[in-house]
Amino acid sequence: TYLKEAPTAVIRYEINGRPASLYVFRDAGTSSMIANEQVQYRVFRSPSGNRQAVVWHKGGVVYSLVGNVSEKEFQHLLQTISGGTP
C-alpha cells in the first residue's frame, strides 16, 4: 500500500469484533529527529465520535493507528504497539 507516494505497511486488528488499522511509513520530514527525542502523539476523533486516530513519529517513521474501538481498548492497543504510555 502507498500513502503520499510512500510504501506503507498496513496492519489490521480486530478488537471485540471492531476493526482497527495501523499504518507505518517513513517520513522524509522527520529525518532530523534524534533517537532519544520524546515521542509526541496527536489524537484525532471523527465528528460522530465513533472513530479515532493517533499519529506519532519515532526514529523517522510515522505511525497512524485508526479504529472504531472504545477509548480504553484504543489506549491498550496503542500502549502495546508503541511500547509505552501516550
Side-chain angles (χ1 to χ4, degrees):
T1 301
Y2 285 82
L3 290 176
K4 296 183 178 183
E5 300 179 13
T8 303
V10 180
I11 304 164
R12 301 201 189 277
Y13 298 90
E14 187 171 297
I15 302 169
N16 294 326
R18 293 181 307 274
S21 299
L22 176 65
Y23 299 87
V24 182
F25 58 95
R26 290 217 174 270
D27 183 8
T30 62
S31 60
S32 64
M33 294 180 70
I34 56 175
N36 63 357
E37 184 175 327
Q38 183 176 3
V39 177
Q40 294 186 358
Y41 299 86
R42 294 190 64 194
V43 178
F44 303 91
R45 289 189 176 81
S46 67
S48 62
N50 67 346
R51 188 171 302 271
Q52 54 187 338
V54 173
V55 178
W56 71 97
H57 295 79
K58 185 175 182 181
V61 177
V62 177
Y63 300 85
S64 178
L65 179 61
V66 181
N68 184 9
V69 296
S70 73
E71 178 117 10
K72 182 178 178 180
E73 293 165 328
F74 197 80
Q75 289 294 329
H76 177 71
L77 182 57
L78 179 59
Q79 289 174 4
T80 300
I81 293 168
S82 68
T85 303

